DNA sequence: GAGTCGCT
DNA sequence: TAGG
């Protein structure tokens, strides 16, 4: 019954192609904020927001939580894990609504049905950013990345396969979903510093949810 | 030898 | 914004 939760969220057109294999589904989940936030909160209750340290020793401005396979960054580099190595317990499962969202967004973007195994959540407070980087620590580059924006708006940067490639700037609002894969799966991307503001549902934050196949 | 989701 |  979750199959068509999002398909008719808005009539077309929402598609904006920003590169070969990269699509913005504007407003795709605009009407599902409360349920999505509830899913985020249920995960955060089990995996509290944390600021990861980059291999270079710097604290990331973005706070992270996750479910499914989790992501770690430390002085040894980046990696995914299926469980919390400190407790030995698996990370919480990905909520059904997020699995449904990922599947429907991937279908809409032309990638076909999708079963991700990792869901990373980023909380951007005003001033938080994520500079240009690649998602390349996953095992399956055949699977797309599905990225959901909630709360405060932000400017998404979407570049090419080379770090120096000129990045396109794409404004993202609450409810937008970006899907990239295929030829652009390894493209550099990032988020410019989030401006202060207040969203009636989310408060003074931007929350980003990404779904991927990591292991 | 890369790195390099941050920094200058 | 390019790049060590």
């Amino acid at each position: 019954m979750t199959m068509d939760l999002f398909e008719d969220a808005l009539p077309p057109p929402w598609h904006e192609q920003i590169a070969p294999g990269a699509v913005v589904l504007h407003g795709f989940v605009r009407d599902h904020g409360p349920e999505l936030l509830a899913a985020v909160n249920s995960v955060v209750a089990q995996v509290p927001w944390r600021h990861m340290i980059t291999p270079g020793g710097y604290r990331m401005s973005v706070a992270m939580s996750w479910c499914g396979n989790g992501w770690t960054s430390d002085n040894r580099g980046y990696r995914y894990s299926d469980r919390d190595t400190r407790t030995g317990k698996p990370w919480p499962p990905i909520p059904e609504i997020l699995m449904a969202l990922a599947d429907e967004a991937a279908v809409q973007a032309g990638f076909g049905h999708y079963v991700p195994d990792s869901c990373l959540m980023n909380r951007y407070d005003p001033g938080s950013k994520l500079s240009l980087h690649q998602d390349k620590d996953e095992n399956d580059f055949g699977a797309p990345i599905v990225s959901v924006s909630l709360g405060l708006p932000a400017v998404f940067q979407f570049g090419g396969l080379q770090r120096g490639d000129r990045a396109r700037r794409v404004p993202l609002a609450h409810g937008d979903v970006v899907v990239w894969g295929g030829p652009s799966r390894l493209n550099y991307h990032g988020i410019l510093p989030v401006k202060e503001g207040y969203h009636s549902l989310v408060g003074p934050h931007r929350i980003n949810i990404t779904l991927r196949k990591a292991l």
Side-chain angles (χ1 to χ4, degrees):
Chain A
M1 276 318 94
T2 52
M3 268 191 54
D4 56 357
L5 258 183
F6 302 100
E7 277 178 9
D8 300 315
L10 279 183
W14 344 284
H15 294 62
E16 180 192 3
Q17 181 142 75
I18 58 174
V23 182
V24 182
L25 272 19
H26 288 283
F28 191 55
V29 297
R30 179 181 293 159
D31 299 329
H32 299 276
E35 306 98 282
L36 294 171
L37 269 185
V40 169
N41 290 333
S42 73
V43 169
V44 170
Q46 304 167 75
V47 182
W49 294 118
R50 57 197 68 188
H51 290 269
M52 307 303 290
I53 303 298
T54 66
Y58 295 95
R59 188 186 109 121
M60 292 175 66
S61 60
V62 166
M64 302 189 66
S65 176
W66 49 73
C67 50
N69 291 307
W71 185 78
T72 307
S73 171
D74 59 23
N75 54 349
R76 308 202 310 267
Y78 308 126
R79 60 200 174 277
Y80 286 93
S81 65
D82 64 346
R83 63 194 59 245
D84 185 342
T85 50
R86 297 184 313 170
T87 64
K89 295 196 331 187
W91 302 112
I94 302 174
E96 277 303 320
I97 188 170
L98 298 181
M99 295 295 287
L101 190 172
D103 182 66
E104 290 169 26
V107 167
Q108 283 294 330
F111 291 99
H113 287 285
Y114 187 26
V115 182
D117 67 12
S118 173
C119 176
L120 307 186
M121 303 176 177
N122 294 332
R123 193 195 72 214
Y124 295 77
D125 300 328
S128 294
K129 64 181 171 61
L130 210 48
S131 48
L132 231 42
H133 68 279
Q134 292 175 294
D135 287 12
K136 61 173 183 184
D137 299 291
E138 300 76 20
N139 285 336
D140 188 354
F141 296 145
I145 303 284
V146 174
S147 172
V148 185
S149 294
L150 297 174
L152 293 179
V155 178
F156 182 56
Q157 296 185 109
F158 199 79
L161 291 171
Q162 310 284 339
R163 176 169 230 206
D165 291 347
R166 247 263 179 6
R168 183 161 169 194
R169 297 180 170 201
V170 183
L172 255 26
H174 176 79
D176 290 350
V177 177
V178 186
V179 184
W180 68 95
S184 63
R185 171 62 181 77
L186 264 358
N187 281 27
Y188 277 86
H189 57 280
I191 288 285
L192 263 26
V194 169
K195 292 199 186 118
E196 44 205 297
Y198 191 87
H199 187 274
S200 55
L201 210 57
V202 180
H205 313 289
R206 170 175 188 265
I207 289 181
N208 176 71
I209 305 168
T210 59
L211 295 130
R212 60 196 62 212
K213 209 170 265 190
L215 296 178

